[in-house]
Amino acid sequence: MVKPFMPQLVYFEPKALEYPLGKTLYDKFSEMDLEIRETTSHNQIRNLPGDNDFQKYRNAKSTLVVGVRRTLKFDTSKPSAEYAIPFATGCMGHCHYCYLQTTMGSKPYIRTYVNTDEIFESAEQYMQERMPEITRFEASCTSDIVGIDHLTHTLKRAIEYFGQTNYGLLRFVTKFAHVDHLLDANHQGRTRFRFSINAEYVIKYFEPGTSRLVDRIEAAKKVAAADYPLGFIIAPIYLHEGWKEGYLSMLEQLAEHLPKKAKNDLTFELIQHRFTAPAKRVIQKNYPMTKLELDESKRKTKWGRYGIFKYVYTDQEQEEMKQLFLTHIPKLFPKATVEYFT
Ligand code: SF4
């Protein structure tokens, strides 16, 4: 089993120490005997260890920056929620296809924000604007928040915060199985706890540093036992030799292990693999040995919302994927909802 993340190096922005969580984390990391440095701003972090970009990238992914979130304006987060709620950015995982490689550019270190009350106040305003409509907040747009939460407990606080709102719902997704500290959070059914799952082949070749499928399923069982609404994101759906058998076996494992109660309120989100030209460049730089298929000539182009073409599967391939999932999910999980395929 992949061990819970432990940074090798921790930076603190001085302002972070003005917040209770900042102080708590400082004391905690000091006691752990981790190397701690100070930085006026994460933008000033230039001297990460490593002789070349390749090493620096890997070291950055085991560096944690404890800071203050300055922008309290939330991005939108379609189709899974109305807004992205920012508690952290960056991830310790090494998924070859991860879009964070492009969006985080030269700053792939992990940042956690300690001004959680200010972030909650901002969420409150967004909820007020939409009342009496419910507002959904997605907490994993810029990180795998569960992956660091055993250290910060920020997500746990957020779960309890949304538990006592009337108009807000929280959702997040993870590839990590380290969920134990979240099981006793007072969620009031207002958080949908999702796991990102994939065929064994994809996890084995493209998701190093994350929990194995069996461990994610074990964690999902615990989450279901703690009465959280549960969901699965199957992403990226990636065509490889034997993909139909691989994905069917994944669904069957899930159906076999999940308790009946969990299957009564289950969501699935289906996202096919896609890439852009800048993403391809950065993937090949960061993971030069990857087996990930990034051949534009085999794909169809689709206009993306960031003003750039993305390469998705051909219409026929997409139909085959849909057919597989939309046949077997209803068979194995008759009460589940498939929220979207994209
Ligand atoms: Fe990216 Fe998620 Fe993998 Fe982390 S776990 S590297 S956020 S895809």
Side-chain angles (χ1 to χ4, degrees):
M1 186 168 176
V2 167
K3 284 195 191 138
F5 170 68
M6 193 51 68
Q8 283 169 6
L9 176 61
V10 186
Y11 281 92
F12 275 82
E13 294 176 4
K15 271 224 164 293
L17 297 173
E18 293 172 14
Y19 293 83
L21 178 57
K23 281 200 207 98
T24 307
L25 291 179
Y26 190 88
D27 294 343
K28 179 173 185 159
F29 293 136
S30 303
E31 275 169 30
M32 285 176 173
D33 230 9
L34 292 173
E35 183 180 349
I36 296 180
R37 294 183 188 172
E38 215 178 82
T39 178
T40 45
S41 154
H42 77 100
N43 286 314
Q44 303 303 318
I45 298 174
R46 307 218 190 281
N47 54 343
L48 279 176
D51 295 334
N52 50 43
D53 285 352
F54 187 81
Q55 283 178 5
K56 282 191 171 139
Y57 176 76
R58 274 147 187 82
N59 287 329
K61 275 192 167 263
S62 41
T63 299
L64 180 67
V65 182
V66 181
V68 174
R69 176 77 184 184
R70 291 188 183 84
T71 320
L72 292 169
K73 189 172 175 292
F74 297 175
D75 285 335
T76 55
S77 176
K78 295 284 177 199
S80 81
E82 277 68 49
Y83 293 105
I85 189 163
F87 294 118
T89 50
C91 178
M92 66 298 297
H94 275 282
C95 304
H96 295 184
Y97 54 74
C98 179
Y99 69 96
L100 292 182
Q101 292 180 75
T102 336
T103 54
M104 309 224 11
S106 58
K107 304 187 179 76
Y109 40 76
I110 301 148
R111 298 177 66 200
T112 184
Y113 305 115
V114 293
N115 53 333
T116 44
D117 286 343
E118 290 164 13
I119 297 170
F120 295 148
E121 275 165 30
S122 197
E124 177 67 37
Q125 284 172 16
Y126 284 108
M127 282 184 266
Q128 298 259 352
E129 278 169 18
R130 286 175 43 88
M131 270 169 55
E133 294 287 315
I134 296 287
T135 305
R136 295 168 303 165
F137 294 89
E138 171 71 64
S140 43
C141 287
T142 51
S143 71
D144 189 312
I145 178 97
V146 175
I148 50 165
D149 207 61
H150 59 284
L151 297 171
T152 62
H153 287 210
T154 303
L155 184 59
K156 186 170 192 179
R157 245 169 262 126
I159 291 168
E160 298 199 329
Y161 168 79
F162 281 100
Q164 48 80 40
T165 64
N166 293 320
Y167 296 96
L169 295 176
L170 181 68
R171 47 205 283 133
F172 53 84
V173 60
T174 185
K175 288 186 172 72
F176 291 94
H178 314 120
V179 300
D180 289 0
H181 74 288
L182 298 171
L183 299 177
D184 66 353
N186 186 6
H187 58 77
Q188 296 287 331
R190 302 193 74 81
T191 290
R192 188 165 294 273
F193 203 132
R194 290 125 86 222
F195 288 87
S196 165
I197 53 170
N198 220 311
E200 297 277 11
Y201 177 97
V202 176
I203 295 180
K204 178 171 172 198
Y205 289 108
F206 306 126
E207 299 185 355
T210 66
S211 297
R212 304 296 81 189
L213 180 61
V214 283
D215 296 330
R216 293 183 212 174
I217 294 177
E218 272 311 303
K221 280 166 63 180
K222 293 186 200 168
V223 163
D227 284 332
Y228 277 96
L230 186 63
F232 293 94
I233 301 193
I234 305 173
I237 302 169
Y238 176 81
L239 298 189
H240 55 278
E241 211 187 315
W243 67 273
K244 287 187 181 164
E245 294 75 23
Y247 283 112
L248 184 55
S249 152
M250 174 199 78
L251 289 173
E252 284 171 348
Q253 278 186 64
L254 199 58
E256 188 190 329
H257 288 99
L258 280 189
K260 193 163 173 275
K261 191 176 78 171
K263 292 183 195 159
N264 290 337
D265 175 16
L266 202 58
T267 58
F268 284 93
E269 293 153 82
L270 309 174
I271 306 176
Q272 63 173 305
H273 178 249
R274 75 270 321 276
F275 64 93
T276 60
K280 178 174 173 172
R281 278 195 295 277
V282 64
I283 290 167
Q284 288 178 334
K285 182 171 146 240
N286 289 337
Y287 303 103
M289 303 298 281
T290 188
K291 286 160 72 93
L292 198 64
E293 171 72 72
L294 298 167
D295 183 348
E296 296 86 347
S297 68
K298 294 189 176 156
R299 300 291 182 106
K300 170 189 151 159
T301 50
K302 188 174 172 188
W303 187 243
R305 70 174 169 145
Y306 298 108
I308 186 164
F309 278 114
K310 49 191 172 189
Y311 296 96
V312 295
Y313 286 109
T314 63
D315 290 342
Q316 193 192 331
E317 288 167 334
Q318 293 190 32
E319 279 314 308
E320 283 181 40
M321 289 177 187
K322 276 195 228 168
Q323 211 209 343
L324 178 98
F325 288 106
L326 300 183
T327 305
H328 291 287
I329 290 176
K331 260 194 217 157
L332 293 165
F333 309 93
K335 293 192 175 158
T337 310
V338 177
E339 294 192 330
Y340 58 85
F341 170 91
T342 180

